[in-house]
């Protein structure tokens, strides 16, 4: 989105929602810490907590895959309308971008992904998925509810805002690169920073975990077709066996990490698909393999991509086969590493410590999972963190992407309050560094 094209809209929005002068306590050095605590208390009120739970359950019952989130988007827009929050739609097919605050700079964004997974839910409960073969097994229904909760907090506490919070409801995180499409649509033009989170089943509720620098790996996918010449299994001398060639390929690909990568530069190459032949006595004409590769730097990802292609084609040739390799880059862009901005890390730690306590803010090791939030971080400073939801007095929660995945709905107020607090306090800090734009705005008006 080009914010320069929205100047008239933003000015009208500002005139209808004039900035309220902050109480002196919030402008003082002792005032800022009041915001995270107060926002969490507000988020835990029964009315707001129940509202977020209701939204989350509606979304959970009707999961939609990437770029198909039309009903989810409709629900989001309905709630924004009720809150009196303006928005743009459609953005990147099903995306929604809302605005809370003055309508003027500085701008800070908070993000929620909306899509579900092609998984059959096995959790038997009142709000089980009603769509066969589809399930919110990664918590995106909770993420949407949290950002809507944050929007409600910010709207109720609009006097805290010294700028504009951009609400990014994004499609297709699960392999579809929705963040890249949103970025290409201009949703972060003029935005100074963006925050995102992910619920996490292993960590206790009321805790957060993250780190500065590389947090999640970048990733890419590949498919390869290895072609030979089929024939009778009893007469292999008359065939060119693609299964043997594919087997050598898979073994050789493992050497890329064990013998070519720096041991201190974590990388992964996994072949997770092997398809070839349907009869026990027939050598097939071709075999298809596929998998993923991951690393914590773009340079390592590029190197892996080049070597994967070379190894597949080279090993196929050794066995007299031909090979074609497809990295699907046009359909699904490779995800860059998720790299947290160091200044935003300090901001996150300060806000989370005030809200939750220093002992609830954990440092974590990097994970080899990937997140398309990384596309935002390539464009502007961004910060991504994990929000614990395990009740230590309850049974252990199942992992994300599991048909038994469950959300502890007590986590929703924490996510909403953290989103709202990170955004509001970032705007307060940014205001101190922002040069006056009143002249330009008046001239435009």
């Amino acid at each position: 989105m080009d914010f320069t094209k929205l100047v008239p809209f933003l000015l009208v929005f500002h005139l209808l929602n004039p900035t309220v002068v902050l109480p002196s306590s919030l402008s003082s050095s002792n005032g800022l810490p009041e915001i995270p605590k107060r926002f969490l208390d507000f988020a835990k009120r029964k009315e707001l907590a129940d509202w977020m739970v209701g939204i989350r359950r509606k979304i959970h019952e009707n999961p939609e895959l990437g770029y198909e989130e039309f009903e989810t988007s409709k629900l989001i827009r309905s709630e924004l309308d009720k809150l009196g929050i303006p928005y743009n739609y459609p953005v990147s097919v099903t995306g929604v971008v809302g605005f809370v605050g003055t309508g003027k700079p500085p701008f800070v964004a908070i993000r929620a992904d909306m899509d579900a997974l092609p998984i059959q839910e096995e959790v038997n409960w009142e709000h089980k998925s009603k769509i066969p073969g589809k399930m919110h097994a990664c918590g995106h229904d909770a993420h949407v509810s949290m950002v809507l909760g944050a929007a409600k907090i910010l709207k109720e506490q609009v006097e805290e805002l010294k700028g504009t919070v951009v609400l990014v409801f994004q499609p297709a995180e699960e392999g579809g690169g929705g963040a890249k499409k949103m970025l290409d649509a201009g949703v972060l033009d003029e935005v100074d920073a963006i925050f995102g989170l992910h619920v996490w089943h292993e960590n206790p509720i009321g805790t957060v975990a993250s780190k500065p620098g590389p947090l999640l790996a970048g990733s890419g996918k590949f498919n390869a077709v290895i072609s030979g010449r089929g024939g009778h299994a009893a007469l292999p001398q008359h065939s060119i066996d693609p299964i043997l060639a594919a087997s050598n390929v898979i073994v050789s690909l493992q050497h890329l990490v064990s013998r070519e990568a720096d041991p201190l530069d974590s990388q992964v190459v996994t072949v997770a698909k092997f398809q070839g032949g349907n009869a026990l006595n027939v050598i097939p004409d071709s075999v298809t393999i596929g998998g993923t590769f991951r690393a914590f730097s773009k340079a390592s990802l590029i190197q892996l991509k080049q070597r994967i292609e070379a190894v597949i084609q080279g090993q196929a040739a050794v066995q007299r086969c031909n090979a074609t390799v497809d990295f699907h880059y046009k359909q699904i862009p490779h995800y860059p590493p998720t790299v947290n901005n160091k200044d935003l890390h300090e901001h996150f730690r300060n806000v989370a410590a005030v809200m939750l306590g220093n002992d609830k803010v954990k440092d974590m090791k990097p994970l080899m999972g990937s997140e398309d939030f990384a596309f935002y971080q390539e464009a502007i400073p961004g910060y991504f963190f994990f929000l614990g939801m395990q009740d230590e007095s309850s049974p252990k929660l199942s992992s994300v992407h599991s048909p038994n995945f469950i959300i502890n709905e007590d986590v929703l107020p924490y996510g909403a309050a953290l989103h709202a607090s990170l955004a509001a306090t970032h705007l307060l800090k940014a205001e101190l560094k922002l040069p006056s734009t009143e002249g330009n705005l008046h001239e435009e008006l």
Side-chain angles (χ1 to χ4, degrees):
M1 175 196 315
D2 186 352
F3 277 97
T4 61
K5 298 177 182 178
L6 292 176
V7 168
F9 162 76
L10 293 175
L11 285 168
V12 171
F13 177 60
H14 174 59
L15 293 173
L16 294 176
N17 297 271
T19 304
V20 178
V21 178
L22 288 174
S24 59
S25 62
L26 292 181
S27 302
S28 69
S29 60
N30 295 327
L32 196 62
E34 295 178 3
I35 295 175
K37 292 179 180 178
R38 190 150 45 81
F39 280 13
L40 180 59
D41 289 341
F42 188 86
K44 284 185 173 182
R45 292 179 183 177
K46 181 173 173 37
E47 179 183 358
L48 179 52
D50 289 348
W51 178 74
M52 287 189 286
V53 167
I55 291 172
R56 183 254 158 177
R57 290 178 176 179
K58 288 178 183 177
I59 297 172
H60 189 87
E61 289 178 353
N62 297 281
E64 298 170 299
L65 303 182
Y67 301 116
E68 300 174 1
E69 310 95 332
F70 294 101
E71 291 303 314
T72 303
S73 179
K74 182 178 179 181
L75 175 60
I76 291 168
R77 300 193 316 271
S78 174
E79 296 301 332
L80 293 177
D81 285 335
K82 293 174 186 176
L83 293 172
I85 293 175
Y87 55 82
N88 284 345
Y89 172 85
V91 183
S92 304
V93 186
T94 57
V96 181
V97 181
F99 310 93
V100 186
T102 65
K104 298 194 303 180
F107 297 98
V108 62
I110 53 178
R111 171 267 205 167
D113 35 16
M114 303 186 295
D115 55 324
L117 286 161
I119 294 175
Q120 180 63 46
E121 183 169 7
E122 295 182 5
V123 182
N124 291 314
W125 67 305
E126 183 181 357
H127 300 283
K128 182 177 181 178
S129 170
K130 296 178 180 179
I131 311 299
K134 298 179 184 179
M135 176 190 176
H136 271 290
C138 201
H140 297 186
D141 49 347
H143 297 168
V144 170
S145 302
M146 290 172 182
V147 170
L148 283 173
K152 191 174 182 69
I153 294 170
L154 294 168
K155 185 66 175 179
E156 292 284 342
Q157 312 278 336
V158 69
E159 71 276 5
E160 308 289 359
L161 299 183
K162 303 295 286 183
T164 306
V165 179
V166 181
L167 313 171
V168 179
F169 297 95
Q170 172 211 308
E173 186 278 329
E174 298 289 356
K180 180 69 164 60
K181 288 185 179 293
M182 295 288 278
L183 192 64
D184 291 344
V187 300
L188 296 188
D189 292 356
E190 308 300 331
V191 175
D192 298 324
I194 184 168
F195 296 93
L197 65 78
H198 204 297
V199 292
W200 198 240
H201 59 285
E202 292 183 338
N203 297 354
I205 192 165
T207 67
V208 290
S210 193
K211 67 179 292 293
L215 177 69
L216 299 170
S219 69
K221 298 178 180 179
F222 65 92
N223 272 284
V225 178
I226 300 170
S227 301
R229 185 172 66 236
H232 199 292
L235 301 169
Q237 70 274 22
H238 299 311
S239 302
I240 299 176
D241 191 348
I243 289 182
L244 179 61
S247 300
N248 285 339
V249 164
I250 292 171
V251 172
S252 296
L253 287 174
Q254 301 313 302
H255 297 163
L256 297 182
V257 174
S258 67
R259 285 296 172 264
E260 296 188 19
D262 183 338
L264 301 180
D265 179 14
S266 298
Q267 299 178 25
V268 167
V269 177
T270 295
V271 176
K273 180 173 75 173
F274 192 119
Q275 298 172 341
N278 296 307
L280 300 180
N281 60 348
V282 177
I283 294 172
D285 285 322
S286 66
V287 168
T288 300
I289 65 171
T292 183
F293 58 100
R294 297 169 184 246
F296 282 104
S297 72
K298 293 194 73 172
S300 295
L301 283 173
I302 292 171
Q303 172 70 7
L304 279 178
K305 176 180 178 293
Q306 293 171 345
R307 291 294 292 138
I308 287 169
E309 185 170 21
V311 165
I312 292 174
Q313 293 177 340
Q315 284 298 320
V318 168
Q319 301 298 328
R320 301 177 296 153
C321 290
N322 297 314
T324 58
V325 186
D326 185 359
F327 290 95
H328 302 288
Y329 190 79
K330 291 183 179 179
Q331 299 92 342
I332 305 173
H334 297 167
Y335 286 12
T338 301
V339 181
N340 279 336
N341 179 273
K342 293 181 179 180
D343 291 337
L344 293 183
H345 174 70
E346 291 305 313
H347 177 67
F348 164 76
R349 284 194 64 89
N350 291 337
V351 170
V354 169
M355 181 184 294
L356 307 172
N358 279 313
D359 60 325
K360 306 296 184 182
V361 184
K362 309 292 185 180
D363 292 324
M364 62 179 287
K365 296 179 180 179
L367 299 175
M368 294 306 296
S370 60
E371 241 286 349
D372 75 349
F373 187 84
F375 286 111
Y376 300 133
Q377 293 173 311
E378 285 194 317
I380 65 172
Y383 196 82
F384 195 80
F385 63 96
F386 289 90
L387 179 61
M389 62 173 184
Q390 174 66 58
D391 184 339
E392 296 181 313
S393 64
S394 300
K396 185 176 180 180
L397 295 173
S398 296
S399 171
V400 294
H401 290 218
S402 161
N404 296 302
F405 180 73
I406 295 174
I407 290 285
N408 177 0
E409 293 174 333
D410 291 340
V411 77
L412 300 179
Y414 290 98
L418 282 163
H419 270 312
S421 299
L422 288 166
T425 54
H426 188 274
L427 291 178
L428 285 171
K429 290 171 62 177
E431 187 204 18
L432 300 177
K433 305 175 184 178
L434 188 70
S436 174
T437 59
E438 290 298 327
N440 292 336
L441 288 171
H442 178 73
E443 183 178 335
E444 184 69 29
L445 181 61

